[in-house]
Amino acid sequence: MRSKFQKRSKKTGLSPGSLVHVGSKYSEKSKITLIRYDETFFTEKEISQIADFRSEKDKQGIKWLNIDGLQDIKLFEDIGEFFGLHPLVLEDILNTDQRPKMEDYGEYIYLVLRNFHGQENGDLLSDQVSIILGKDFILSFQERESDLFDSIKDKMNKNKGRIRKEGTDYLAHAIIDNIVDNYFIVLENLEEKIEYLEDDLVKKATPSTLDTIHILKRELILLRKSLWPLREAVSSLGRSDSPLINKSTVVYFKDIYDHTIAIIDTVETFRDMLSGMLDIYLSTISNRLNEVMKVLTIIATIFMPLTFIAGVYGMNFKYMPELEFRWGYFGVLGIMLVIALLMLMYFKKKKWI
Amino acid sequence: MRSKFQKRSKKTGLSPGSLVHVGSKYSEKSKITLIRYDETFFTEKEISQIADFRSEKDKQGIKWLNIDGLQDIKLFEDIGEFFGLHPLVLEDILNTDQRPKMEDYGEYIYLVLRNFHGQENGDLLSDQVSIILGKDFILSFQERESDLFDSIKDKMNKNKGRIRKEGTDYLAHAIIDNIVDNYFIVLENLEEKIEYLEDDLVKKATPSTLDTIHILKRELILLRKSLWPLREAVSSLGRSDSPLINKSTVVYFKDIYDHTIAIIDTVETFRDMLSGMLDIYLSTISNRLNEVMKVLTIIATIFMPLTFIAGVYGMNFKYMPELEFRWGYFGVLGIMLVIALLMLMYFKKKKWI
Amino acid sequence: MRSKFQKRSKKTGLSPGSLVHVGSKYSEKSKITLIRYDETFFTEKEISQIADFRSEKDKQGIKWLNIDGLQDIKLFEDIGEFFGLHPLVLEDILNTDQRPKMEDYGEYIYLVLRNFHGQENGDLLSDQVSIILGKDFILSFQERESDLFDSIKDKMNKNKGRIRKEGTDYLAHAIIDNIVDNYFIVLENLEEKIEYLEDDLVKKATPSTLDTIHILKRELILLRKSLWPLREAVSSLGRSDSPLINKSTVVYFKDIYDHTIAIIDTVETFRDMLSGMLDIYLSTISNRLNEVMKVLTIIATIFMPLTFIAGVYGMNFKYMPELEFRWGYFGVLGIMLVIALLMLMYFKKKKWI
Amino acid sequence: MRSKFQKRSKKTGLSPGSLVHVGSKYSEKSKITLIRYDETFFTEKEISQIADFRSEKDKQGIKWLNIDGLQDIKLFEDIGEFFGLHPLVLEDILNTDQRPKMEDYGEYIYLVLRNFHGQENGDLLSDQVSIILGKDFILSFQERESDLFDSIKDKMNKNKGRIRKEGTDYLAHAIIDNIVDNYFIVLENLEEKIEYLEDDLVKKATPSTLDTIHILKRELILLRKSLWPLREAVSSLGRSDSPLINKSTVVYFKDIYDHTIAIIDTVETFRDMLSGMLDIYLSTISNRLNEVMKVLTIIATIFMPLTFIAGVYGMNFKYMPELEFRWGYFGVLGIMLVIALLMLMYFKKKKWI
Amino acid sequence: MRSKFQKRSKKTGLSPGSLVHVGSKYSEKSKITLIRYDETFFTEKEISQIADFRSEKDKQGIKWLNIDGLQDIKLFEDIGEFFGLHPLVLEDILNTDQRPKMEDYGEYIYLVLRNFHGQENGDLLSDQVSIILGKDFILSFQERESDLFDSIKDKMNKNKGRIRKEGTDYLAHAIIDNIVDNYFIVLENLEEKIEYLEDDLVKKATPSTLDTIHILKRELILLRKSLWPLREAVSSLGRSDSPLINKSTVVYFKDIYDHTIAIIDTVETFRDMLSGMLDIYLSTISNRLNEVMKVLTIIATIFMPLTFIAGVYGMNFKYMPELEFRWGYFGVLGIMLVIALLMLMYFKKKKWI
């Protein structure tokens, strides 16, 4: 569970809007990539400071500024000033424990999302992705470099699909769509594990089965925690009356909304399945205990009376007439056999064996 | 659980609206059936490509185009262009893991439904059925050929009921009604199994009982997952103010809505019953363990003291006066009998036997 | 659980509005009773076909037509035509697995209710009662003859209460009120059983206790299933702006609404109580297992060491000095006694005995 | 659980509004107290019939009529006529199984509440208190005499607080406030028991602990059943736009509303705590079973092999060389000791001892 | 659980608005601190009675009066009169068991919050903080002196952030923000404990693990109880149309609202995790019982038959031919070995060892 829940205590007492990075440290230097494009062209270059953007600002086309790495506080102060961002927005970009949300600041829309991108020791890893959606610019912030935007850039470069023809809202939609698709990959992984577990459960449930159920449950809890606010954020985008969102793009946000609903449905279904499997597991343990106890009881019930009889004729009384009988020994052995058989028949009738 | 949740990962990174079939492959070639009818006539023919429809388009009557099989991407691109469908609609038709939904695109209404039609290895099978409801045409898409529409065509052919007199909305209603009726059949199957299980539970619960409960629970989870959105979709149809839905048809959608509510109620009732049965099963196991343990304890409690006494008189001490007694042996046997009877009386009093 | 959930499969594929009776068959012939009354007179007579009603139709007073038995399809087609009922209403009257509901068709209000009227083998029995509430007529449909309306007719006859002075809405209210009162009787029965169970639980819980809990739970599930829609239907009646419902009657529907809420509350309370009792039952079983195991452990712990000691001195070694001791035997017996007492003290300290 | 749920069956079939007292019988004769007061005076007297009130009716000040005892049907008919109460209101006053509610009849507001006032055999006792709030009069009805109103009368008499200066709505508020305060007392009692239980749970959980949890749970269920409708009723009062409620009094109803919310919160918290304690109790039982079984297993595992060895050398074979060994006996004893020690070390390592 | 739920019983029967302090007593004397500030200056001084404030009242700047300690009833009467507070507000300030809430009284807004500030014996400690937010003054009330406001005063003094430039609403926001930050600290503590517990659970679950789960659960219940109303109160502030709240401050309240949502999410996640851990714990106990029983059964199943055989040849029958065999003894030993090995192989196959 480590590092799922950020340590905010270092922020306690600071005034709201104070810029402090809260989250995992990845690199000291942020990497800034500037993409400019419209239907006719597409350029991508790396810039070293926000001042370099000044000359590009009023050029033609949509400007997309992607920042990887959130350690460089100075950079974020510059960005805040340059684009006129609210201090709380800057604070939220830097604090990487935000719930997904969408906030309309009039001039721009602020979006926070969580991108799930892998697992480590059975723990899901996710990074915060923040998006500022303006009229002719879009800012995206990631905790560190990733390949999240590669497919989008690729499509832009090859001028495939509608992405070069549409505005910043469609670009934002493409980013969110990519992030939501990553949830599907996580779910597929989970599904495989659940299927595997289910096969196991019937054949050979061990304590490690329990462990796996526990880990899968925890992953679902974490997924859920970011899914519900994501759904809300995407829904707000779809219902937004901001001039930044075109009518024609709304149907695309509605589509993403459907996907998040489908993901939530699947997560809930998985939860139900895991609960069912835990029940099965517990019943299996109880059944096994029953099996063990039956074996013990059968053995004890057969041999205790027999041992007792043997004990009786092992007594050293002077006058024990049976001991003198010619067929006494074999008679007793015979009686013992009959008792054992009667016991076995009793257990057979009780369906214990 | 296999194939319940579609692998979407192959779509990740593609731009939205890209046409890729996601789902089980059934056949390479789609089968296109064209039905044209009004109150006075009914014709049905198979066509091989969408171009063949061009000549029929402006003819009199309602045109119903049914497509079985979703592998032929080219066909769907043609359909999309011909009918002016939104790319996302085409995408949803091809991705067969959609939740049931209803979307009003003004010119047409898009409907997704799941048709449950059987079981295999205890897993419910369902296919996606998509419906495009236009002013004088209706498009229906199935993953593969089925007999879902046979009864409707039959009624049309024999001119029974209102179906030939009403518009496309009534035809859509008939299709949905058929699909909802299939849920009732699934429920009847489930009910039979639950009844059978319940009889079993009291008499002879085995680990396989648990398995059956588990499987039934999972089926209910799957049913539920498609029922709630279905209810929503049908409700949207009933409350829709689209000009494509006649006032007089609304009451029929309301009727279907009542059916979905009744189905959901029954599913919830079944869930409650299965939960109750799991509790019963677990208690039954506990009760049996108690029974087993009682047998063991009774046997041990009777024979352990007796064996001990026998052991005492089996000791080889030189000076053991009882051994010399004339009636020592029979005395000891008598004492053993008394002890055994006392024990039995004790257990009788405790209601163990 | 038998016959709780109707077999609708025979209806699958029929066009909606097809008249087929779905439900238990009671008698082939329907019995039609016609009551006409106003403040000044009250007449009741049996008629054999709907045509007989034609002459009465325009007579003075409120006409109440009660039909017992739903097998006579022809009769219902006549009724539908005569009163101008929607085909779906006729269909719902005949399919006796409807959820309680209220539907306003403008000219008339259609009501479905479930009347609980007894128990058989621990299963609650209920019949569907349908009511058509028109301006000056009321139609009521029952699956078979019952005494449900006897008290109402009695009051009418004796001209007690407001029933003769008010309109059809008040009569409908009286019918619903009777049906809701029957829920109270069912609840009183359940309460008695729950109380009895509770007394049992503490003193002598047996597996049959579990069975009773299970059966009571199932009955509550069934009650609940019809109670929530009933509440909704009654609430719709109270909030209805139909001209068929007088302002002054609304407060009576509000009163029934309060009763249904109270019934639902009680059902939920019973459910909570039964859940609590199941917990108690399971704990009781666990406690008993503990008791059984303690007895076994005490016996084994005392006699195993003693038997071992006896075994040691039963060995046949040539050189075993103790055997020769004069007081060896009694010494060993003494040691055994001390061991047994020490064990008992240990168990005493552990509060096992 | 006795007498929590009233027997309504005796009312079944009566027309609504029929006056029959449903509930516990306390005394045949109702006691009527008339209080008249305004800012300048306060008088209290007992009257024997409602006719006695006629002369007081138009006198100055607020008239508060309190009736203790609900058996005298005639009295209630008189009251209903005199004050123009709706028959359903009278019926609800007499049926003491009402859920708390607030009903605005225009001329007057009708309030039903439950006053919890003690416990008997672990069962909470509550009486129904009905209030009719008119423009210049207030009627209150109790099942029997109680000290519920003493503190209010006392304050009135001593002219403390605002009660003499305000209208009937403030008086109603004072009554409800008293009743809500009684819930706090019940909660304090419960809290004490829960604390006591919690201390017990850790140290010495017995089956009686389970019983106490069960009883406390049931009391919370009963409390809850009346709390939620109470909250609704108080909320309706606060939001009411009736001319009977002054603007300045609304804030007082809001205050009571806050109290009911706080009470509900505490009840829910207690429920959560009791559920947690049941879990603890069940785990404790399981833990104890484990302890018992470990003792048994340790004893059996040590003595069974030893007894077997003793048994071997107790065999009577002619040729058993060890028997002849000089140190055979002591050797075997030594081996037995070693085996016992090895076993103990094994259990030590397994942390069983 | 002590002192979580205040004893209100001493208030029962008093008229609403009576000033009685309900809660823990800390000191007899309240400490009054007066801060006055605007963008240009900042002064802080202690005053001994509310009359001292009279001269400051109309001076320039925002007046912040902080009162620590709620025992001095006279002081609160003075404050109520001076600032024209509603009696119910004063009552709520003094009764320290309020749920967090926000009430708009037009002239001023009344806020109640709970400040969590530590733990004692595993119990969370919280104090009630009340805030009266007026146009140019703010009153804050604490149960006792704390360092809650130190960081705010410090920032004011050093003129850091916006706090000196904004109005009373921003100051209120700063106080609430501090209190909400304290929840984060509590959560971090809880997270650490949960992590520690989780590590423990796998390796060495003991009954004390259960205890810890129980305690953590109870803490979450308490946190939750104050979190939901807190969220509601903060949300009301954000949506308030009171002239006391500036448009520009609303976004800050929205920010706090996001924090409370995040806290609630985390608390719910922790609850889910603890439930999961309890399941794991119970399964672990069951597994251990299984282990113990297997050991017992293996031992018993091997040695009981062997002991029986030894017993047979310990019988003293005259005629037992095997006893005379030369290799009888070794033969029997061999047979015993074979039986033991067969048993072991059986258990191996059953995966018990």
Side-chain angles (χ1 to χ4, degrees), chain A residues 181-205:
Chain A
D181 278 349
N182 281 341
Y183 280 92
F184 280 107
I185 296 175
V186 170
L187 288 191
E188 281 172 29
N189 274 328
L190 281 173
E191 196 193 22
E192 238 168 66
K193 286 184 197 163
I194 289 175
E195 274 177 29
Y196 190 81
L197 198 63
E198 200 153 49
D199 290 349
D200 248 38
L201 203 59
V202 184
K203 283 181 275 166
K204 46 179 198 299

Side-chain angles (χ1 to χ4, degrees), chain C residues 188 258 293 316 318-319, chain D residues 8 101 293 313 324 326:
Chain C
E188 281 172 29
D258 283 350
M293 291 315 298
N316 297 320
K318 266 240 161 88
Y319 185 67
Chain D
R8 289 187 80 108
K101 67 178 168 182
M293 291 314 299
Y313 292 108
E324 319 291 328
R326 184 66 182 93

Side-chain angles (χ1 to χ4, degrees), chain A residues 188 258 293 316 318-319, chain B residues 8 101 293 313 324 326:
Chain A
E188 281 172 29
D258 284 351
M293 292 315 298
N316 297 319
K318 267 241 166 81
Y319 184 68
Chain B
R8 289 185 80 108
K101 67 179 168 182
M293 291 314 299
Y313 293 107
E324 317 292 329
R326 184 64 183 92

Side-chain angles (χ1 to χ4, degrees), chain A residues 83-289:
Chain A
F83 291 96
L85 304 182
H86 196 282
L88 287 174
V89 168
L90 284 177
E91 194 191 353
D92 284 354
I93 291 172
L94 293 182
N95 298 0
T96 60
D97 58 348
Q98 301 296 317
R99 304 169 80 232
K101 66 179 168 182
M102 175 269 195
E103 281 173 349
D104 190 344
Y105 282 84
E107 293 292 290
Y108 54 90
I109 288 173
Y110 171 50
L111 272 169
V112 194
L113 305 160
R114 294 212 77 77
N115 183 34
F116 282 86
H117 56 70
Q119 268 169 301
E120 206 171 76
N121 311 327
D123 273 346
L124 288 170
L125 294 181
S126 71
D127 281 351
Q128 176 167 317
V129 178
S130 302
I131 297 169
I132 305 281
L133 167 64
K135 203 179 154 53
D136 64 348
F137 69 91
I138 202 161
L139 309 182
S140 58
F141 303 88
Q142 294 187 91
E143 290 186 54
R144 51 177 161 175
E145 279 195 74
S146 82
D147 56 0
L148 177 61
F149 297 142
D150 289 359
S151 65
I152 296 174
K153 289 182 197 166
D154 195 54
K155 254 181 287 178
M156 280 180 160
N157 208 352
K158 296 187 180 149
N159 202 353
K160 287 201 302 187
R162 309 168 53 137
I163 199 158
R164 289 265 291 274
K165 301 184 197 90
E166 301 277 346
T168 51
D169 52 347
Y170 192 85
L171 176 52
H173 150 263
I175 294 173
I176 304 172
D177 196 51
N178 260 19
I179 286 172
V180 169
D181 278 349
N182 281 341
Y183 280 92
F184 280 107
I185 296 175
V186 170
L187 288 191
E188 281 172 29
N189 274 328
L190 281 173
E191 196 193 22
E192 238 168 66
K193 286 184 197 163
I194 289 175
E195 274 177 29
Y196 190 81
L197 198 63
E198 200 153 49
D199 290 349
D200 248 38
L201 203 59
V202 184
K203 283 181 275 166
K204 46 179 198 299
T206 61
S208 89
T209 313
L210 186 67
D211 248 35
T212 315
I213 292 176
H214 183 55
I215 289 167
L216 290 177
K217 263 192 159 174
R218 222 178 45 196
E219 291 190 352
L220 287 175
I221 290 172
L222 287 174
L223 268 180
R224 249 181 128 222
K225 204 182 157 185
S226 81
L227 271 167
W228 285 94
L230 174 65
R231 170 177 163 273
E232 226 175 291
V234 173
S235 159
S236 303
L237 273 171
R239 288 180 289 103
S240 168
D241 50 2
S242 161
L244 295 166
I245 311 278
N246 286 319
K247 281 266 146 63
S248 65
T249 319
V250 163
V251 70
Y252 288 96
F253 285 122
K254 182 97 192 41
D255 186 53
I256 297 184
Y257 179 76
D258 284 351
H259 291 182
T260 57
I261 294 280
I263 293 170
I264 287 174
D265 268 17
T266 308
V267 165
E268 296 301 321
T269 306
F270 284 178
R271 273 170 70 97
D272 278 357
M273 283 178 171
L274 282 175
S275 292
M277 285 159 84
L278 188 62
D279 286 342
I280 297 285
Y281 177 75
L282 288 174
S283 317
T284 306
I285 292 182
S286 291
N287 270 326
R288 282 189 196 166
L289 183 60

Side-chain angles (χ1 to χ4, degrees), chain C residues 146-201:
Chain C
S146 82
D147 55 0
L148 178 60
F149 298 140
D150 289 358
S151 65
I152 296 173
K153 289 182 196 164
D154 195 54
K155 254 179 290 177
M156 280 180 160
N157 208 353
K158 297 185 179 151
N159 201 354
K160 287 201 304 185
R162 310 168 51 138
I163 199 157
R164 288 265 291 274
K165 299 183 198 90
E166 301 278 344
T168 52
D169 52 346
Y170 192 86
L171 175 54
H173 151 263
I175 294 173
I176 304 172
D177 196 51
N178 261 18
I179 287 173
V180 170
D181 278 350
N182 280 341
Y183 280 93
F184 280 107
I185 297 174
V186 170
L187 287 192
E188 281 172 29
N189 275 330
L190 281 173
E191 195 194 21
E192 237 167 67
K193 286 184 197 161
I194 289 175
E195 273 177 30
Y196 190 80
L197 198 62
E198 200 152 48
D199 289 349
D200 248 38
L201 203 58

